[in-house]
Amino acid sequence: MVGPSRHWSRTLIALGSLLVIFASAAACIPKNRPDASTPASPPPSTPSSNAPSSNAPSSSGFDHSAALALPSLQDTFAPYFSIGAAIEPYQTIQVGDLLQKHFGRLTTENAMKFGPLCPTMRCNFTQADTIANFAREHRMPMTGHALVWHQMVPAWFFRDEKGAASLELLSERLRAHAFQMVERYADVVDNWDVVNEAISDQAGKLYRDGSEGSTWYSAFGDERYVRLAFEYARAAADAHDPSVKLYYNDYNVVKPEKRMKILQMVRELRKAGVRIDGVGLQGHWGVTWPSAADIEAAILELRAENLEVKISELDVSVYGEDDHEKKVWQAAMLDSAELEERLKKRYVEIFEVLKRNKQHLSHVTFWGVSDDHTWLNYWPLRRDNYPLLFDRAHQPKPALRGLLGLD
Ligand code: GLA
């Protein structure tokens, strides 16, 4: 057990590092990402004042007794697939007990992303190692997230002393990055998001280019960095553990037009002799979308292409897809009992589809643990959202009880 004063100094260090990550991440984020996320990680909030006061708070200041008294989410779903959570380093302390009880695997929310990890050519592994060491200690396999993404990538990568880096230098740096990451975490990472969100959202265009924020595409002059990333990651993995799986990860995979493009990319890569094992559906979904049928169709179609499938970043926004397009965010706020009920029904519906397709799914990872720490409180604008299974005070929500089959 960690004593209280050691605990608090570790907490302060973790919070300090979190703010550094937050600041460096924010500096790397293009401002107008159209359809997905800002990776902002807010500092943890204090427990809400209406949290039950009868039970002693846990060492994190939150009362986890109700959450810990429930059957384990991970154990409940073990016959189907394992359940993961994406976390920041400070959460290994703040929700460490919840992670051990309810989750079977981990993803670093930001700590393994290139920008926060290597703001200069000298990388700092402290944040990523904190999570990897927690995973090692508790025997939780990890997803490596993500080797190549157009956001949160350090500017130095694309330049040398004279200006734009040459193709040769870019390729060598990419190789070094892939080897460094895959080797360092080879004992704990069983699958890598090798490339994240490289496909275009624009009609008639396959790859995201500079006009959609991809410095990778602009610097390499075309999409060859995707092939190189998979080749280097494979070579690095094979040197340690050939069973490590390499994924392409993206949002809107449930939309046929996006999926068609992803499949085209996979076919072209495979034709060129590149091994790509699977596709991650991020799963940033909402209470009203996408339909269960669309989720199932996506899983089946990817499997038919001999791809492994995982749900890599699951959360369920209480705002509708139309709320996004029409920008009427605040009007979509629901009263809390109705909201809880809708969220529960929706999670149960989603997991019915996932359970039915268990033989097609590698694992399911939530993008967060509790509503006090979710990117959806910050994107696309600052507002409260309620997308996870534990509320702001870390109390289990009806949605969790629904998934556990308790109500
Ligand atoms: C994308 C990225 C994640 C995360 C989320 C939301 O889905 O893959 O790493 O940044 O956006 O923050």
Side-chain angles (χ1 to χ4, degrees):
M1 281 294 284
V2 177
S5 63
R6 172 123 185 271
H7 167 79
W8 277 109
S9 65
R10 282 178 59 186
T11 304
L12 287 173
I13 291 166
L15 289 178
S17 334
L18 178 73
L19 290 172
V20 170
I21 279 212
F22 181 49
S24 61
C28 302
I29 303 165
K31 292 286 172 276
N32 51 358
R33 185 179 183 197
D35 205 2
S37 60
T38 129
S41 302
S45 60
T46 48
S48 97
S49 53
N50 57 11
S53 56
S54 52
N55 296 311
S58 78
S59 61
S60 68
F62 288 87
D63 177 5
H64 290 168
S65 51
L68 295 174
L70 290 172
S72 153
L73 182 68
Q74 159 71 16
D75 291 353
T76 303
F77 282 91
Y80 303 96
F81 33 71
S82 69
I83 305 274
I87 58 163
E88 291 289 7
Y90 83 89
Q91 290 175 293
T92 58
I93 298 168
Q94 196 213 39
V95 290
D97 51 359
L98 300 187
L99 294 169
Q100 287 176 65
K101 166 95 196 201
H102 289 290
F103 297 91
R105 49 185 307 120
L106 293 174
T107 302
T108 49
E109 184 179 347
N110 287 302
M112 286 190 189
K113 290 174 182 167
F114 204 175
L117 191 82
C118 309
T120 66
M121 288 177 82
R122 210 180 153 77
C123 304
N124 180 345
F125 294 95
T126 316
Q127 305 286 328
D129 284 354
T130 299
I131 296 175
N133 288 337
F134 181 91
R136 289 176 177 121
E137 189 184 339
H138 299 290
R139 302 191 173 282
M140 300 166 95
M142 292 184 73
T143 292
H145 179 80
L147 286 181
V148 168
W149 188 31
H150 64 286
Q151 291 196 18
M152 300 174 81
V153 54
W156 63 260
F157 183 89
F158 302 104
R159 309 192 63 76
D160 63 13
E161 330 61 65
K162 292 190 221 89
S166 67
L167 266 181
E168 214 180 358
L169 181 59
L170 290 169
S171 306
E172 175 46 33
R173 282 178 176 169
L174 176 52
R175 198 198 67 81
H177 176 55
F179 269 79
Q180 167 168 263
M181 296 305 289
V182 172
E183 278 174 356
R184 187 176 187 93
Y185 300 108
D187 63 316
V188 66
V189 166
D190 65 5
N191 77 104
W192 274 96
D193 292 331
V194 176
V195 177
N196 196 32
E197 303 179 354
I199 292 293
S200 172
D201 287 315
Q202 292 172 7
K205 194 164 69 170
L206 186 54
Y207 286 95
R208 178 190 299 277
D209 60 19
S211 72
E212 287 176 282
S214 179
T215 323
W216 291 96
Y217 191 102
S218 304
F220 280 83
D222 56 28
E223 71 276 10
R224 86 188 70 178
Y225 71 94
V226 173
R227 175 176 58 78
L228 291 174
F230 276 100
E231 285 176 352
Y232 294 145
R234 186 75 265 154
D238 283 350
H240 294 275
D241 178 1
S243 72
V244 169
K245 297 293 165 53
L246 303 185
Y247 276 78
Y248 174 76
N249 193 52
D250 213 332
Y251 56 89
N252 283 348
V253 184
V254 294
K255 297 198 172 172
E257 57 281 13
K258 183 90 172 253
R259 191 163 65 248
M260 291 309 107
K261 292 186 191 179
I262 293 171
L263 287 173
Q264 186 183 336
M265 173 190 72
V266 168
R267 289 181 195 126
E268 286 175 6
L269 285 171
R270 284 178 164 172
K271 214 167 145 201
V274 178
R275 180 174 145 195
I276 168 167
D277 299 305
V279 169
L281 284 71
Q282 288 184 355
H284 294 300
W285 294 330
V287 275
T288 54
W289 57 276
S291 71
D294 282 352
I295 296 171
E296 187 152 36
I299 295 170
L300 293 176
E301 217 173 290
L302 293 166
R303 287 297 295 153
E305 199 77 20
N306 198 21
L307 285 160
E308 289 195 2
V309 180
K310 63 176 179 178
I311 311 297
S312 53
E313 306 184 15
L314 181 60
D315 47 27
V316 175
S317 171
V318 301
Y319 297 86
E321 203 176 22
D322 287 347
D323 298 336
H324 185 173
E325 283 154 13
K326 293 177 195 154
K327 303 217 185 318
V328 288
W329 308 107
Q330 321 304 352
M333 190 59 71
L334 304 166
D335 85 61
S336 89
E338 187 193 341
L339 178 149
E340 295 295 359
E341 197 45 36
R342 287 183 68 175
L343 195 69
K344 173 178 153 188
K345 279 205 183 109
R346 180 61 172 149
Y347 263 119
V348 168
E349 179 189 42
I350 289 171
F351 273 79
E352 281 310 312
V353 175
L354 302 183
K355 280 159 74 175
R356 202 162 56 230
N357 288 282
K358 65 173 182 178
Q359 73 278 26
H360 301 315
L361 287 170
S362 313
H363 49 263
V364 175
T365 288
F366 285 83
W367 205 248
V369 175
S370 49
D371 289 346
D372 57 319
H373 180 111
T374 163
W375 70 292
L376 291 170
N377 289 333
Y378 292 84
W379 186 88
L381 49 83
R382 172 72 193 97
R383 58 178 180 170
D384 286 343
N385 209 330
Y386 310 86
L388 297 166
L389 299 180
F390 298 90
D391 70 15
R392 283 177 166 65
H394 297 191
Q395 300 309 300
K397 292 157 91 168
L400 175 59
R401 296 182 60 84
L403 291 186
L404 295 173
L406 296 177
D407 300 318

